[in-house]
Structure formats: C-alpha cells, structure tokens
Amino acid sequence: FFSVAPFVAMSHDKAVLDYFREKKIAKLMDDFVCELLKAKPAEPYAFLEQRLAKMSGRQPAGLQLLASRHCTHKFDPSRPVPRKVIHEILDTTRTLPSSANTQPWHIVVTQGATRDRLCEKMLQKFDAGDDGKAQYENRPKDMVDRMEKAVNDYGRQFYEEHFGVPRGDKAGRREKYRPNYEFWGAPVHLILCCPYEQSVEEGVNGIFLDMGTVLTAICLAAHAHGLGAKPQFSVAKYHDVCREVISKAELPDDMLVVCGLSIGWPADGRDPRTQPDFFPTRLSVDETTRWACCDPQWVAAG
C-alpha cells in the first residue's frame, strides 16, 4: 500500500501537491481499496501508480495531455468560451489524417439562443419519456468479453460509485442521464456530422474511423486550452430536434448526426489538465495489445 509514498514524495509538480492537499487523495484511496478486493492482487498498485504518474509532470507534454484527458460532467455556464478559441481548436483538425484525404466531417457550432433552444426541445422529449433513436448503432448488441467488462465497469463506476445510484434504480439513473440534454452546463455545443448516404446506406465504415479521429482531436485541443469536453452520443438520438432547431443551410438533410460535443470551462475554476473530474478505469495495454509479431529480444529489452 505504502509503496507509492516515495513516488509522491519525489514529485515536484505543484499541481500534484495541491491535488493531495485538497484531500482528493481520499478518492484515490477508495479506488485503491476497490481494486484491492478484486482477483489480481498486483492490479491495484499498478492502477494507483498510473493515476499518480499521469499527474506527475514527468511525461512529454503531448503524453501528459493524452494521459490526463477525461470527460467533464460539470461546466460553468456563466463563463463564455471565446469564438476565436473554438476556431483555433477546429483549425487544428485541418492537419488530421483521413481516408484518402476525404475529411468527411461537417461540424455545426451552437451557442447562445440556438444552444438553449436545443436543450429545451431535447429536454421536452426526454421528460415526456421519448428517448429518441439515433440513425446508427454506436456499439454491438453482443460484445466480446473485454468490451462488455469495460462497459460494465464504466456503468458501475459512473452511476453506483460516482453518483451513488444503485444498479437497479432505473429512475435514479435516468435522473443522472438527464444533464446530457442540458449539455452539462457547457455554453458551446458542437454537432459532429458526416454524409448520411455514404456512411449509413453504403456502409462505408471508414468514415466513422475519420469521425473518431476528428472527435478525439477536438477533445485534446480543448484540453490543451484548459477547457473541458464531453462527447455525447445521446444527442444523435434527437437528430430530429437538431434539424428542427438548426436550419438546412447549417445542417443539410444529407448529413448524419454522429454525436454532440459539449465544450466549456469546468465548474469551480478547475483545470482539467491537473484536477480530473470523474475518471473511469480503462483496460490495460496487455488487455488490448498483442506483441506476437516482434523480435523476442526487443520485447525483453523493455
């Protein structure tokens, strides 16, 4: 348990020290105990030390951004995000790779009255029990074991541990899901789209590969600015509301609504680069990677 103490003591990163002073170490210890009760005794040590390492400031800047990126679930609605910052974030996507340079993304930026109208209309449907339906599936019905494990871990950690909602409490879970349609308080909401005919009717799955690339890049660029971001498949369920509120000139009929993306400053002045919000555990590299096609000497050298 105390094997991480020297690691912490050696850290000269002020953000790490502030993190512990604010008593958020208690949450890390809770995570540690939860992992300790699982089958593999070595895992909790690795998990906690990885979490600490992500805040240590010892990695290259790009890796620190990747390691600390997470979804924000509480934004400051009173603090505007300048248009020039959103433009700069989107401008970075021009360097991204895409299939044969197709760049299939179509991004609609909403803010102010339009953003508020989207929330109002989506909440009306949600509160009336109409959950909508996206025009594509975002995950398989029958998942391989490790995917199912990751999904179940996320549900348990997000609803049961983070929000304290029991697994069988459907009403409680629905209440915690509702802020999706308030965009978690974010003042800016992006709607990511791509060509419907090619991606759905023709089934060109490479388009979704490119959409994942641009979504990730926007999240990382926002994170680099100290902004929070929250991708939302939930918005695709109400693609009809998006079309009702947004004109055809901005959201043409031939575009598929892939997802929404809320962007804003985290609440309470928190810097997401050093003070994480809810941060679910992830599958390990060993669970998602095979080193079978490498020289044994290279693998053994570490």
Side-chain angles (χ1 to χ4, degrees), residues 135-149:
Q135 294 175 288
Y136 73 100
E137 299 294 332
N138 74 325
R139 64 187 184 195
K141 292 182 175 62
D142 296 318
M143 292 180 282
V144 298
D145 289 345
R146 67 176 181 84
M147 291 173 64
E148 187 170 6
K149 172 184 179 296

Side-chain angles (χ1 to χ4, degrees), residues 28-290:
L28 290 174
M29 293 300 105
D30 287 345
D31 290 342
F32 173 85
V33 173
C34 288
E35 293 295 325
L36 186 62
L37 296 176
K38 293 184 178 179
K40 299 178 182 178
E43 287 182 348
Y45 296 92
F47 172 67
L48 183 58
E49 290 180 355
Q50 286 167 7
R51 287 289 297 271
L52 294 173
K54 288 176 183 178
M55 295 176 287
S56 71
R58 298 178 179 218
Q59 298 170 316
L63 292 184
Q64 288 184 46
L65 282 175
L66 281 167
S68 60
R69 192 222 66 81
H70 61 283
C71 293
T72 295
H73 294 90
K74 188 177 181 181
F75 295 90
D76 184 350
S78 66
R79 187 178 176 188
V81 180
R83 179 189 178 278
K84 64 180 181 181
V85 173
I86 298 298
H87 185 278
E88 181 177 322
I89 289 171
L90 296 177
D91 191 50
T92 63
T93 66
R94 297 174 59 239
T95 66
L96 296 175
S98 62
S99 304
N101 199 35
T102 48
Q103 304 166 76
W105 44 85
H106 176 87
I107 301 171
V108 181
V109 181
T110 70
Q111 179 270 344
T114 301
R115 175 257 182 222
D116 295 346
R117 185 67 172 159
L118 281 172
C119 288
E120 178 187 352
K121 289 285 189 179
M122 290 181 182
L123 285 171
Q124 285 177 358
K125 287 204 166 192
F126 182 80
D127 291 342
D130 180 355
D131 292 337
K133 182 175 176 57
Q135 294 175 288
Y136 73 100
E137 299 294 332
N138 74 325
R139 64 187 184 195
K141 292 182 175 62
D142 296 318
M143 292 180 282
V144 298
D145 289 345
R146 67 176 181 84
M147 291 173 64
E148 187 170 6
K149 172 184 179 296
V151 170
N152 291 338
D153 285 349
Y154 172 79
R156 172 178 51 79
Q157 292 168 3
F158 186 62
Y159 288 106
E160 298 177 42
E161 298 175 9
H162 184 63
F163 283 124
V165 179
R167 183 178 180 85
D169 186 355
K170 293 183 179 180
R173 289 197 171 206
R174 188 173 181 82
E175 179 184 350
K176 296 305 180 184
Y177 191 82
R178 190 178 189 273
N180 274 291
Y181 300 115
E182 297 171 337
F183 302 152
W184 301 92
V188 175
H189 189 78
L190 311 186
I191 299 175
L192 276 63
C193 310
C194 66
Y196 177 85
E197 181 178 351
Q198 289 77 14
S199 59
V200 178
E201 293 184 356
E202 295 181 16
V204 181
N205 295 326
I207 292 178
F208 287 100
L209 176 67
D210 296 336
M211 294 305 297
T213 299
V214 74
L215 173 63
T216 302
I218 294 173
C219 288
L220 287 172
H223 191 55
H225 277 279
L227 288 160
K230 169 68 175 172
Q232 295 177 234
F233 171 73
S234 54
V235 171
K237 298 177 182 179
Y238 292 140
H239 58 91
D240 55 337
V241 173
C242 295
R243 298 187 189 286
E244 178 184 347
V245 174
I246 300 168
S247 71
K248 290 186 179 182
E250 282 80 30
L251 181 53
D253 289 338
D254 61 355
M255 285 291 160
L256 168 74
V257 174
V258 176
C259 68
L261 179 57
S262 295
I263 296 178
W265 305 104
D268 305 322
R270 180 177 58 83
D271 187 334
R273 296 166 293 190
T274 57
Q275 297 173 287
D277 189 0
F278 168 73
F279 206 134
T281 56
R282 307 292 192 186
L283 295 173
S284 69
V285 172
D286 287 341
E287 289 177 289
T288 60
T289 309
R290 295 294 176 266

